Amino acid sequence: MRLKRFANLDHVEQHNSLKQFKRWRQERIRKLKMKDYSFAVPNAQPDIAFLQANRKQPTITWIGHSTFLIQIGGLNIITDPVWAGQMAFQKRLTAPGIQIEDVPPIDIVLISHSHYDHLNINSLRRLGGPKQLIVPAGLSQKLKLKGFMRVTELHWWESLHIHGIKFTFVPSQHWTRRNPWDTNSSHWGGWVIEPVGSRSGRFVGYDGGKTRQLLQPSHGRAADEGAAASEGSRSGDVPASRRNEAKAHISKAAAVHDHSRQSGFRAEDAFASDVSDRPVVSDSPTIYFAGDSGYFQGFKEIGSRFPIDVALMPIGAYEPEWFMGPQHVTPEQALQAFEDTGAKWFVPMHYGAFKLADDTPSEALCRLESARQSKGIDSSRLVVLPHGESWRLAGK
């Protein structure tokens, strides 16, 4: 039986062939000797007692890379759980913001895709709690073979309601592989997390983790439109205007490549804000977790469908751009994507934990600041979290 192969919305060539990989590795041996890794993302002292007891206040805690603890609607949610001490032959650059033994019982695990730096089976096993896994289409069977029985998979634009929280799987531009034979056999994407009212009385009941009932994924108009858009793009029907617009954004982003050193900005300056200065968002925020993605026209589509408060956006693993560009945004492109979604606040992620590419944490943050200044985005809208800090979104 032939495996189903998933595709991106935009027609892009993913640079993931063995020949291209070998070229990058040869370049990397020379480049890494000239890279400065003296700067490391700082770790704040996590408030473990608060996180363990909290079932009311919405919070976001960056654990590292693409792993966040999100508390909302009484649920403890983990994104892309990775506590691994190394990735391939590269040791972790800094410790996770919360040790896995201190993480509160997890109700929901959101997986963006199957790459090893986003899905670590040992980390997933060690997490406590009931752990309902919500994963991309094509991935549930692999996880069930690993012993995880509470798994629900979704296609793009499908949603699942749990305890008054709606989880929607949204597109990204990426690819997947865990072995040489399963390339793109499961999908990839991001997640929109939004509180919703129980108008039909069919939403999940919750009693502190003892019982819960899952609904079937909802499709509706958004899913139908998304499926039509996906099918259209696979048949070559992406409008030329949308493709040209996306290319223009990328070209514009590349023009702000001066790394902000001219203004004297250092990576350490990104973490100068006091915890008390964090923005107050909402008692019921909508959060967009972008997963892994290259820049694509889908960011605008996501923004048109959801009123996003906080966007968790990747900014690292982009160099060399000839190789990483189709799958990882640059910091400049991440800011453009942030603007495309219409989100109010930007939280950078996917940097500072592993040497996945040739860029450094310092370079990513300096380029992000340079792009912010170039675009005239207010500095208060970029919330650069240290590992372990809990941003209390309701300000309480």
Side-chain angles (χ1 to χ4, degrees), residues 264-375:
F265 178 85
R266 301 177 308 156
E268 292 87 343
D269 299 333
F271 301 92
S273 296
D274 189 84
V275 174
S276 61
D277 296 331
R278 296 299 182 208
V280 176
V281 179
S282 170
D283 287 316
S284 53
T286 295
I287 300 168
Y288 168 46
F289 170 70
D292 247 2
S293 187
Y295 183 81
F296 76 129
Q297 50 88 16
F299 289 120
K300 283 190 175 182
E301 179 72 8
I302 293 166
S304 72
R305 293 174 184 244
F306 302 95
I308 298 168
D309 292 303
V310 179
L312 311 178
M313 301 292 298
I315 67 165
Y318 54 84
E319 190 179 302
E321 293 180 36
W322 71 261
F323 184 63
M324 296 294 181
Q327 57 190 308
H328 291 148
V329 291
T330 64
E332 296 86 2
Q333 291 167 340
L335 269 184
Q336 181 60 58
F338 166 65
E339 291 190 318
D340 290 350
T341 65
K344 297 173 184 173
W345 289 278
F346 177 112
V347 176
M349 65 168 185
H350 200 268
Y351 77 102
F354 303 105
K355 294 180 182 179
L356 297 177
D358 297 346
D359 48 284
T360 70
S362 177
E363 289 169 349
L365 287 170
C366 287
R367 284 181 62 164
L368 184 69
E369 172 61 16
S370 177
R372 182 199 69 76
Q373 293 178 19
S374 177
K375 287 179 170 291

Side-chain angles (χ1 to χ4, degrees), residues 150-161:
R150 306 189 70 224
V151 186
T152 300
E153 66 175 40
L154 300 181
H155 291 269
W156 285 344
W157 306 117
E158 289 185 336
S159 300
L160 189 67
H161 299 81

Side-chain angles (χ1 to χ4, degrees), residues 5-8 12-18 20-21 24 112-118 136 156 172-180 182-189 292-294 323-328:
R5 304 293 180 178
F6 292 90
N8 284 302
V12 293
E13 178 189 354
Q14 288 293 344
H15 298 162
N16 53 12
S17 70
L18 182 60
Q20 291 164 326
F21 180 77
W24 169 51
S112 67
H113 65 294
S114 68
H115 281 154
Y116 285 91
D117 62 312
H118 293 259
W156 285 344
S172 70
Q173 181 171 289
H174 206 60
W175 63 291
T176 59
R177 181 163 64 207
R178 286 185 77 86
N179 62 55
D182 70 347
T183 300
N184 295 347
S185 62
S186 62
H187 222 166
W188 49 89
D292 247 2
S293 187
F323 184 63
M324 296 294 181
Q327 57 190 308
H328 291 148

Side-chain angles (χ1 to χ4, degrees), residues 3 119 121-122 124-125 133 135 138-153 178-179 182 185:
L3 288 174
L119 174 58
I121 298 299
N122 186 50
L124 192 52
R125 286 201 172 104
L133 277 59
V135 306
L139 189 54
S140 63
Q141 188 58 35
K142 292 181 181 180
L143 288 167
K144 288 177 180 177
L145 290 174
K146 296 288 186 180
F148 301 100
M149 294 295 106
R150 306 189 70 224
V151 186
T152 300
E153 66 175 40
R178 286 185 77 86
N179 62 55
D182 70 347
S185 62

Side-chain angles (χ1 to χ4, degrees), residues 153-271:
E153 66 175 40
L154 300 181
H155 291 269
W156 285 344
W157 306 117
E158 289 185 336
S159 300
L160 189 67
H161 299 81
I162 302 177
H163 183 44
I165 303 297
K166 182 180 179 182
F167 300 90
T168 303
F169 188 48
V170 296
S172 70
Q173 181 171 289
H174 206 60
W175 63 291
T176 59
R177 181 163 64 207
R178 286 185 77 86
N179 62 55
W181 306 278
D182 70 347
T183 300
N184 295 347
S185 62
S186 62
H187 222 166
W188 49 89
W191 294 95
V192 175
I193 307 165
E194 54 181 337
V196 291
S198 178
R199 290 174 292 186
S200 66
R202 294 174 55 225
F203 288 172
V204 172
Y206 185 75
D207 56 6
K210 296 178 183 178
T211 61
R212 75 182 24 74
Q213 173 188 353
L214 292 178
L215 300 177
Q216 291 298 315
S218 63
H219 301 263
R221 183 174 65 87
D224 294 339
E225 291 174 353
S230 181
E231 289 301 321
S233 67
R234 283 195 292 270
S235 62
D237 290 336
V238 177
S241 61
R242 296 292 291 274
R243 293 197 302 270
N244 293 337
E245 187 177 28
K247 290 178 181 177
H249 285 159
I250 292 172
S251 298
K252 183 179 179 182
V256 293
H257 201 280
D258 59 5
H259 290 219
S260 76
R261 287 203 175 97
Q262 294 176 2
S263 64
F265 178 85
R266 301 177 308 156
E268 292 87 343
D269 299 333
F271 301 92

Side-chain angles (χ1 to χ4, degrees), residues 68-72 75-79 106 108 110 167 193:
F68 288 87
L69 170 64
I70 299 172
Q71 297 181 307
I72 188 170
L75 294 173
N76 291 327
I77 303 162
I78 283 285
T79 64
I106 296 303
I108 306 294
L110 299 177
F167 300 90
I193 307 165

